[in-house]
Amino acid sequence: MQRQWVYTVLAVAVLALAVGPIGTAVFVLGFWYGDSPCVMCWEQRIAMALIALLGLFVLRYGPRPRYIGLSILVAGYGVFMALRHTALHASRDIGQGFSIEILGAHTYTWALFIFWAAILLMGALLMAVRERDAGGVIRTLRPLEKLAGAVFLVVMAGNLVQAFASTGPPPFMGQGDPVRFSFNPAHWVWSLEEYRAAPVGLRGRWAASKPDASKLDPDPSRGPFEWAPPLTLRGERTLALGLKGTPTGLDYDPDSDRFLLTTGDGVYLADGGLTRAERHAIVDVGYSVDLARFAGAAFLDAATVMAVSNNKSFVILRESDKADASKNFRHFRESFDRFDEVRRGRFSTVRARMMYVMSAAYDPTRQSIFTITVPNERSRGMVVSRFDRRDLTLSEEFVARLSPEAGVRLRGERSLDELYVTGAAVHDGRLFALSAAYSILLEIDLDVRVVVGARSVPGLSRPAGIAFKDGELWVVTEEGKVLTFDLTPAPRPASS
Amino acid sequence: MEFLNLSLIFAAGWLVYRRPQRERLAFGLLVASAVLTVLLFSFATRTSLLPGMNY
C-alpha cells in the first residue's frame, strides 16, 4: 500500500487503543487504584488487545483479508460482550454500577463504545484499501509504527503482571467479584469459582413463561389453607355479549350501573345485568406500546376505563359518541368511533418486575390502580403494586402476608405464593383477589397490607375477573360464564 | 486462563515486532487467543448466554 497516511492513521489507532483503554485499565485503574477486572472485563480487555494486535499485523504485513476479517469478528464479538456485561447494570438507579467509573460511565459501558468505534474505523480504513495493497511483503516499520508496537508490548507486559496476580496461572480463571489488586502476594486470590456447576441458559432469569391459568387446580381442599369458609353461589349463567375472545377482566361502576369487560384485545361496556354490550372497541395491542394481552379491567370514572395487560402495560379509553373514526384508526382495529384513547403506557415496578399480572383494580378513594402478580418458574411471591392515578407511577408495593387474625390457617409449609390471582376488585376499601388456583378469594386490608380473610369459592373453573355489585361478588370465567356469590360466607361445619 | 491468553497475545506481538518472518506462527497464536476469549466469556456467562435484558 503506497498511501502512508493510512498506516499513520492505523498506527495512531493502535497507540490510542493500547494507551487509552488497555493501558489506563492496567496502569492507572489497576496498579494505581487497585481495581481488578471481573472475568467479563478481562475478556473484553483481551479482545481490545486482539484488535490492537491485528492493527500491528496490518502495519507489518499489509491489509491481508484474514486480518481484516478477524478484526471484524473480534470487534463484533466485543460489542456483544459489552452488551452482555452492560445489561447486568443498565437498569440500575443513576450512578450505580460495578467498580470504577470514568467520565461518568462505568468501564464496561466504555467497552461498548470502543468496540463500536473500532468497527467504524476498520470500515473507513477498508474503503482506503486497494486490491494491490494486500500483497505478502513484510514492511519495514516507520518510527511511529515501531512506537505503536513497543507501547503495545509494554502494555501487554503490564497486563500479564496484573493477570498473574489477579487471576493466577491456568487453570485459575477470572472471578465474578474480584478483590482489590495488590502487588503483595498475600492478597492474591486465585479462584476456580467459575468452574462450579451452573445451568446453561439463553436469557437467564428473564426466561420466565407467560402467564397461563388453564392448568391450575381449582379445588380449594387441595389448596394452601387448612379450610376456608365457602361462599354461597347465588346464580350462574352463560355470558351472551357476543365477545370476540374469552373474558380476561371485569369491573363494575355503580354510578352508571354498567359493567366493564376485557378480552385479550377488546374493551366492552355492558349494562348492569351483564346481558347486553353497549359499546366496545378492539384495541390494536401491537401498535406503539406493546399491550400484549389484556388481563384486568377497571373503571377510572363513569366514562373512563383502563385495560391493564399481563405485562403491566395499559391503555386508558374514554367513551365518546363523537370519536373521530379517522383519527382513531391507529389505535383500534374495530369500532373506531366509540372510544377515544386517552393514554397508552407502562407501569414500572420493583418487586413485581420479573412477574406478570392477571388482574387490575381501581380504588377511587385512594385514586390508585392495583395489580397483583402471578408466580412463574423463576419468581414467586404475591406482590401487590399500587400506582397513583395522577401520574400512573408506582407508589407502593408489598408482599401480602396472612394476618394471624384472618380466621384461616396455612397448611404446614404451604404459602400464599401458590395462589394465582386472576381477578381483583376494591370493595369497602379492601382489595379482594380471586385465585384461579384452589379457588380462593383473599381479602386484603390496604391500610395494614395484610390478608385479613380468605374464602373458598366453590364451583369455579378458570375465573378471569371479579366485580362487586350490591354486595354480591360477580365472577366471569374464561369459559364465558357469569357466577354471582353472596359475600357472607357459610358458617364452618362442626366437623371441619 | 487470562494469564495464558495474554501470554499468547504478548508472544504474537513479539513475533510481529521482532521476528516478522514468523507470521504464520504469530497469526496462529492470535487465532488461538481469539478462540480462547470467546470460550472463556461464553463459559463465564453460560447461565445467561444472551444479554440479560427485557426482550
Side-chain angles (χ1 to χ4, degrees):
Chain A
M1 188 154 58
Q2 300 302 312
R3 284 150 303 165
Q4 297 298 326
W5 68 268
V6 177
Y7 285 111
T8 302
V9 170
L10 186 57
V12 170
V14 171
L15 263 176
L17 198 51
V19 173
I22 313 173
T24 303
V26 62
F27 293 115
V28 180
L29 301 185
F31 294 166
W32 185 258
Y33 286 105
D35 179 53
S36 280
C38 73
V39 62
M40 285 189 272
C41 288
W42 267 121
E43 307 317 325
Q44 288 166 87
R45 190 191 293 187
I46 288 169
M48 289 178 200
L50 286 170
I51 292 171
L53 179 57
L54 280 157
L56 289 181
F57 270 78
V58 174
L59 289 177
R60 180 61 102 180
Y61 306 108
R64 298 180 183 179
R66 60 180 179 174
Y67 303 157
I68 307 295
L70 190 54
S71 300
I72 293 171
L73 283 178
V74 173
Y77 193 69
V79 169
F80 169 79
M81 287 195 291
L83 262 180
R84 169 66 177 79
H85 200 173
T86 304
L88 289 175
H89 311 286
S91 59
R92 298 193 193 285
D93 281 13
I94 187 168
Q96 295 179 347
F98 192 90
S99 196
I100 293 174
E101 64 176 40
I102 301 171
L103 299 176
H106 289 83
T107 49
Y108 40 85
T109 43
W110 278 111
L112 184 58
F113 169 78
I114 289 164
F115 287 120
W116 172 70
I119 290 176
L120 290 186
L121 180 65
M122 282 185 281
L125 291 178
L126 264 179
M127 292 179 70
V129 171
R130 301 290 179 268
E131 287 184 17
R132 64 175 183 276
D133 297 332
V137 295
I138 297 175
R139 291 183 64 249
T140 302
L141 297 179
R142 295 179 297 155
L144 180 66
E145 296 159 14
K146 281 185 179 173
L147 177 66
V151 168
F152 175 80
L153 289 174
V154 169
V155 170
M156 284 305 102
N159 275 280
L160 276 171
V161 171
Q162 189 180 19
F164 187 78
S166 293
T167 70
F172 295 107
M173 188 175 163
Q175 301 135 46
D177 199 4
V179 298
R180 187 170 65 252
F181 175 80
S182 170
F183 284 108
N184 183 350
H187 300 310
W188 293 356
V189 175
W190 293 353
S191 168
L192 296 173
E193 67 176 25
E194 289 295 329
Y195 292 99
R196 283 180 305 198
V200 178
L202 274 182
R203 293 169 54 206
R205 68 192 184 110
W206 289 92
S209 304
K210 294 279 170 47
D212 179 9
S214 63
K215 296 182 176 64
L216 300 172
D217 182 354
D219 188 347
S221 69
R222 290 192 284 267
F225 292 107
E226 289 180 351
W227 181 81
L231 296 183
T232 306
L233 180 66
R234 288 283 185 198
E236 178 178 346
R237 61 185 167 83
T238 300
L239 203 57
L241 297 177
L243 303 179
K244 293 190 173 177
T246 58
T248 60
L250 180 70
D251 196 16
Y252 175 73
D253 175 55
D255 293 338
S256 61
D257 186 29
R258 290 187 302 179
F259 279 96
L260 166 68
L261 281 103
T262 52
T263 59
D265 58 0
V267 176
Y268 295 78
L269 284 175
D271 69 302
L274 210 47
T275 57
R276 179 176 53 84
E278 294 183 351
R279 69 176 69 214
H280 81 284
I282 303 297
V283 178
D284 186 347
V285 293
Y287 162 73
S288 184
V289 174
D290 175 14
L291 288 168
R293 178 178 168 79
F294 291 147
F299 276 101
L300 299 184
D301 58 47
T304 310
V305 299
M306 168 181 267
V308 179
S309 303
N310 58 21
N311 63 4
K312 288 170 256 162
S313 298
F314 63 83
V315 64
I316 299 175
L317 306 179
R318 183 168 294 133
E319 65 175 321
S320 171
D321 293 325
K322 298 177 182 175
D324 185 336
S326 178
K327 181 183 162 197
N328 283 336
F329 173 78
R330 62 170 58 197
H331 301 305
F332 305 120
R333 289 189 168 275
E334 187 177 303
S335 298
F336 305 97
D337 58 353
R338 306 298 282 159
F339 290 94
D340 280 324
E341 183 172 308
V342 177
R343 182 161 174 182
R344 190 181 285 223
R346 308 172 184 90
F347 287 136
S348 296
T349 59
V350 180
R351 291 176 181 82
R353 188 161 177 245
M354 305 304 290
M355 288 185 276
Y356 291 95
V357 300
M358 291 193 76
S359 59
Y362 181 64
D363 180 0
T365 306
R366 293 177 174 82
Q367 293 193 56
S368 295
I369 299 112
F370 291 88
T371 60
I372 303 172
T373 58
V374 293
N376 59 54
E377 67 272 38
R378 294 180 181 275
S379 302
R380 304 193 75 78
M382 197 170 68
V383 181
V384 179
S385 305
R386 179 174 72 82
F387 308 90
D388 195 299
R389 184 194 168 174
R390 287 159 288 203
D391 58 7
L392 298 168
T393 300
L394 181 67
S395 302
E396 179 185 11
E397 257 183 4
F398 61 91
V399 177
R401 305 288 180 206
L402 184 64
S403 165
E405 285 84 41
V408 290
R409 286 193 306 180
L410 291 167
R411 289 190 174 105
E413 300 299 314
R414 308 288 293 271
S415 81
L416 298 179
D417 296 349
E418 301 172 39
L419 301 181
Y420 208 94
V421 174
T422 56
V426 174
H427 176 62
D428 286 344
R430 290 188 166 173
L431 179 63
F432 286 79
L434 179 59
S435 168
Y438 311 118
S439 304
I440 295 290
L441 180 72
L442 299 178
E443 182 178 351
I444 301 170
D445 187 324
L446 292 170
D447 292 327
V448 291
R449 304 177 192 86
V450 294
V451 175
V452 294
R455 299 156 173 118
S456 59
V457 187
L460 271 188
S461 175
R462 301 173 66 177
I466 65 171
F468 289 93
K469 179 184 178 185
D470 301 331
E472 284 188 332
L473 173 70
W474 290 56
V475 180
V476 291
T477 71
E478 284 188 43
E479 294 155 346
K481 291 189 174 175
V482 187
L483 299 91
T484 53
F485 296 88
D486 186 344
L487 204 54
T488 307
R492 182 170 186 153
S495 58
S496 296
Chain B
M1 297 303 286
E2 288 78 7
F3 178 74
L4 169 66
N5 208 348
L6 286 161
S7 299
L8 295 175
I9 292 174
F10 185 87
W14 177 260
L15 289 172
V16 171
Y17 195 63
R18 303 294 297 175
R19 301 280 187 275
Q21 67 277 15
R22 306 293 301 274
E23 190 271 345
R24 286 179 66 88
L25 175 60
F27 191 72
L29 293 174
L30 192 158
V31 170
S33 173
V35 171
L36 188 57
T37 301
V38 172
L39 290 177
L40 287 176
F41 189 85
S42 302
F43 186 71
T45 58
R46 63 192 181 281
T47 56
S48 179
L49 291 168
L50 296 176
M53 296 187 291
N54 181 13
Y55 285 88

